[in-house]
Amino acid sequence: MQVPTKLRPVPSDIDIAQTATIIPISTVANNMGLTDDELLLYGPQKAKVNLDVLKRLKNEKDGKYVVVTAITPTPLGEGKTTVAVGLTQGLGLMGKKATVCLRQPSMGPTFSIKGGAAGGGYAQVVPMEDFNLHMTGDIHAITAAHNLCAAALDARMMHERNYPGDAWTKRTASPERPEGLPRLDINPYTITWNRVVDANDRALRHINIGLGSKADGFPREASYDITVASEVMAILALVSGESYAEALTDMRQRIGRILVAYSHAGQPVTTEDLGVAGAMTVLMKEALNPNLMQTLEGQPAFVHAGPFANIAHGASSVVADRVALKTADYVITEAGFGSDIGMEKFFNIKCRASGLKPDVVVLVATIRALKMHGGGSAVVAGYDLPQEYVEENLELLEKGCDNLKAHIEIAGKFGVPVVAAINVFPTDTPAEIALVKRIAKEAGAVSAVPTTHWADGGQGSVNLADAIIAASELPSDFRFLYASDLPIRQKIEIIAKEVYGASGVSFTPLAGQQIDAYEKNGFGDLPICMAKTHLSLSHDPKLKGAPKGFVFPIREVRASAGAGFIYPIGGDMMTMPGLPAIPAFMKIDIDENGKTVGLS
């Protein structure tokens, strides 16, 4: 195992990453028990793993399955990825075979205000540049497949308009299909399939397309989403199978079920109806195999899929988890945002799709976030923290721990042991850390452990690793929150009341009509993927702590039939972020040696 020397003060993430000793990825794979012919190399430092490895390893016992989630975060994030990586490194120092499974970050946030998502400090996945930029091209494949469908949709509407009546049959007839293609008669006001691009581009939120002559398309209002919000991305994350062929078949079927619009008669229109599902699958063939990289201390890191955590389930791929579980003692995977969003969806959606059962929940908390929930001043990305966040304030902290208690209670509803991981910052005091530990254990966590992985790497997470090993031996009575065959409205109400603390749910007339249409067309048995803010347990980002008694509003309900879930929208959800006045890309460049600088 490689353990980099820890410098003080801690250098920038990119400096640490670029001075790291990186093991050849074939060596990392061989240490996992993978063979060279099971790797699809993308240079010496990253590779895809052929999913046929699952056939060879099918009789191997699965390792322990650990999911990392968090309390309700500040806009800065509370370090789930660094905790996941640091914990993996800590387990490695204890002689355990550990693998971390993470989402692939979008280049939108990387070039905007958030920066990269490879972890940080001495708890990172490397090479950092590859992790955050392009990697093996999976996001580009998703963009291409998604936009091919969008082009097919608009082309079909244009041609059907331009060839009315029998002219359409004559135009589309062939020896194999003398009757021609069926007329789909798509209602443009029901289209739910936008175009996508992997960049924050607010100018594309509301656009007009098809302008010009009769041959230039079908004129209508449209918009772009960021690529990670694509249903194709959610499908990639949820595909399952015992081999590459099985997983590819599952992907093909899911892509064929994608619902893009309705006809004027109210009939669903899918990618299969458009005849584009096969070509979309071809574009996704290589993306199906999970990407293998490594931590700073040489443990395997699968980085595969990155669905938007607000409107999708926000977790990395099932297939990466399945390979990791066959090759490691402990698999550390991450669920997006707090337990009310990422973890709830991880359990109710991802675990339904995979059949896998988690052994431990790691709940990441920071003292700064708890102070915010206790009534602290607003935390704004790009600005210094207000004074109360860098000075001891036990009263503010204790009040904010209501949020911590709520998240421990949420995790407890699924029957999985909870370990609270206190992500320690230099300004945190011993009295503050002790207070959080006490409250977490009183609330039901089996243990609460400070971790200093950012500054100390795996050594800073050894105590957390020890707690995870102990917790993974406890009984886990994992269960879903609801039965999938319940009516859609009832499933939504269960989540709103049991997870968010709402007293009830309100539905707009539009949402009610959409629910009725989905149930009528056979989508009622799908699990629910609630789309809401990550900055509050409620739908309102201004409601901090553990709000109760509010009515959760559902303004619209959409279906990701291919991915396999219904997503109700609570409040205003943004699927195309914008760039700030001073975006992160302004600092990114290459030096005289061609090395990337300024990436954070």
Side-chain angles (χ1 to χ4, degrees):
M1 178 185 294
Q2 57 188 28
V3 181
T5 302
K6 311 301 186 300
L7 302 177
R8 298 293 186 268
V10 176
S12 69
D13 293 349
I14 188 70
D15 286 342
I16 292 173
Q18 289 182 339
T19 56
T21 301
I22 301 181
I23 301 170
I25 200 64
S26 57
T27 302
V28 174
N30 294 159
N31 291 341
M32 297 170 66
L34 302 178
T35 61
D36 288 344
D37 62 355
E38 290 168 337
L39 294 183
L40 307 169
L41 292 172
Y42 283 71
Q45 298 174 341
K46 58 186 175 182
K48 281 186 170 290
V49 175
N50 190 320
L51 283 178
D52 279 342
V53 69
L54 290 171
K55 290 193 293 186
R56 178 172 67 83
L57 300 176
K58 66 179 180 179
N59 294 323
E60 294 293 324
K61 182 181 177 182
D62 283 356
K64 297 293 186 179
Y65 197 29
V66 181
V67 58
V68 179
T69 185
I71 63 170
T72 305
T74 69
L76 307 177
E78 306 319 306
K80 286 195 311 298
T81 304
T82 60
V83 169
V85 176
L87 172 57
T88 304
Q89 294 176 167
L91 287 163
L93 287 176
M94 298 181 71
K96 306 296 183 182
K97 292 180 67 175
T99 297
V100 64
C101 294
L102 301 173
R103 289 181 293 169
Q104 180 180 352
S106 165
M107 286 191 290
T110 297
F111 287 134
S112 180
I113 195 167
K114 183 179 178 181
Y122 288 103
Q124 289 191 55
V125 173
V126 288
M128 180 187 179
E129 302 98 309
D130 292 16
F131 186 104
N132 289 297
L133 305 172
H134 299 297
M135 196 178 295
T136 58
D138 292 351
I139 290 181
H140 303 312
I142 291 164
T143 303
H146 184 112
N147 289 339
L148 177 63
C149 178
L153 176 66
D154 282 294
R156 184 62 169 264
M157 288 195 298
M158 181 201 74
H159 287 301
E160 287 191 10
R161 178 203 63 192
N162 292 352
Y163 295 94
D166 292 342
W168 173 250
T169 301
K170 294 176 182 178
R171 181 77 174 105
T172 61
S174 66
E176 299 78 20
R177 193 198 296 263
E179 73 280 9
L181 293 175
R183 188 177 290 276
L184 298 180
D185 193 27
I186 296 166
N187 183 345
Y189 297 104
T190 66
I191 293 172
T192 56
W193 196 257
N194 297 332
R195 286 164 170 79
V196 296
V197 64
D198 191 30
N200 289 5
D201 194 348
R202 69 179 75 239
L204 297 176
R205 289 174 184 167
H206 306 284
I207 60 174
N208 291 315
I209 62 173
L211 304 181
S213 71
K214 188 178 179 181
D216 290 329
F218 191 98
R220 64 182 181 91
E221 292 184 356
S223 63
Y224 270 76
D225 297 331
I226 197 163
T227 298
V228 290
S230 169
E231 186 178 349
V232 181
M233 174 66 88
I235 287 172
L236 177 64
L238 291 172
V239 164
S240 193
E242 298 295 334
S243 66
Y244 177 79
E246 285 187 14
L248 187 62
T249 298
D250 186 28
M251 174 180 279
R252 174 62 179 81
Q253 292 172 346
R254 287 174 179 270
I255 288 177
R257 292 196 298 266
I258 291 173
L259 176 66
V260 297
Y262 285 91
S263 70
H264 282 95
Q267 294 299 308
V269 178
T270 68
T271 52
E272 206 71 74
D273 296 324
L274 290 170
V276 74
M280 292 172 69
T281 307
V282 169
L283 290 171
M284 292 293 297
K285 281 179 61 179
E286 296 303 320
L288 181 56
N289 293 306
N291 306 301
L292 180 64
M293 298 179 74
Q294 64 188 281
T295 73
L296 278 172
E297 298 182 11
Q299 288 83 16
F302 280 110
V303 186
H304 194 219
F308 213 54
N310 291 102
I311 66 165
H313 62 290
S316 58
S317 75
V318 168
V319 291
D321 288 1
R322 291 174 67 87
V323 175
L325 284 165
K326 293 298 184 184
T327 56
D329 301 322
Y330 295 87
V331 173
I332 314 301
T333 192
E334 183 184 348
F337 296 135
S339 74
D340 57 313
I341 302 185
M343 187 198 72
E344 182 270 315
K345 296 174 182 178
F346 181 95
F347 288 158
N348 282 318
I349 297 174
K350 184 176 179 180
C351 289
R352 275 187 218 268
S354 68
L356 300 173
K357 296 182 179 181
D359 296 287
V360 184
V361 168
V362 179
L363 182 68
V364 178
T366 64
I367 285 167
R368 75 178 180 197
L370 293 172
K371 287 180 176 179
M372 178 193 71
H373 288 292
S377 304
V379 175
V380 182
Y383 291 84
D384 291 338
L385 287 172
Q387 199 63 28
E388 64 263 35
Y389 293 100
V390 295
E391 293 180 348
E392 183 173 283
N393 190 323
L394 297 177
E395 181 180 357
L396 195 66
L397 177 61
E398 185 166 10
K399 184 179 178 183
C401 279
D402 285 350
N403 186 264
L404 173 66
K405 290 186 282 187
H407 283 281
I408 293 172
E409 182 181 344
I410 292 167
K413 292 178 185 292
F414 294 91
V416 183
V418 181
V419 174
I422 306 168
N423 187 10
V424 176
F425 287 35
T427 54
D428 299 341
T429 70
E432 290 175 328
I433 294 170
L435 176 63
V436 176
K437 288 177 64 177
R438 175 179 64 79
I439 291 175
K441 287 190 280 189
E442 289 175 353
V446 297
S447 58
V449 185
T451 174
T452 59
H453 49 278
W454 181 81
D456 301 318
Q459 192 60 50
S461 281
V462 167
N463 290 338
L464 178 60
D466 190 53
I468 295 305
I469 293 171
S472 70
E473 298 303 323
L474 296 173
S476 176
D477 183 26
F478 174 68
R479 54 190 177 271
F480 299 123
L481 192 63
Y482 55 81
S484 61
D485 59 358
L486 291 175
I488 291 174
R489 287 175 178 82
Q490 188 175 345
K491 288 181 284 192
I492 293 171
E493 288 172 355
I494 289 172
I495 296 171
K497 293 177 180 179
E498 295 292 320
V499 177
Y500 307 153
S503 60
V505 179
S506 65
F507 297 88
T508 64
L510 172 62
Q513 293 167 10
Q514 291 167 327
I515 290 172
D516 292 342
Y518 293 139
E519 291 182 334
K520 176 185 175 183
N521 287 294
F523 303 124
D525 287 350
L526 296 178
I528 301 300
C529 186
M530 297 284 269
K532 78 173 190 75
T533 180
H534 60 287
L535 297 174
S536 171
L537 284 168
S538 74
H539 61 286
D540 184 352
K542 296 177 183 177
L543 295 179
K544 302 302 183 184
K548 300 288 184 184
F550 57 91
V551 175
F552 193 90
I554 301 296
R555 66 174 177 83
E556 188 178 354
V557 180
R558 298 182 183 177
S560 289
F565 53 74
I566 299 289
Y567 65 100
I569 300 174
D572 294 324
M573 295 308 306
M574 188 71 66
T575 55
M576 172 52 79
L579 290 170
I582 305 177
F585 65 69
M586 296 182 75
K587 296 182 290 186
I588 298 173
D589 208 330
I590 56 173
D591 66 12
E592 62 276 8
N593 299 311
K595 193 164 69 172
T596 301
V597 295
L599 187 63
S600 62

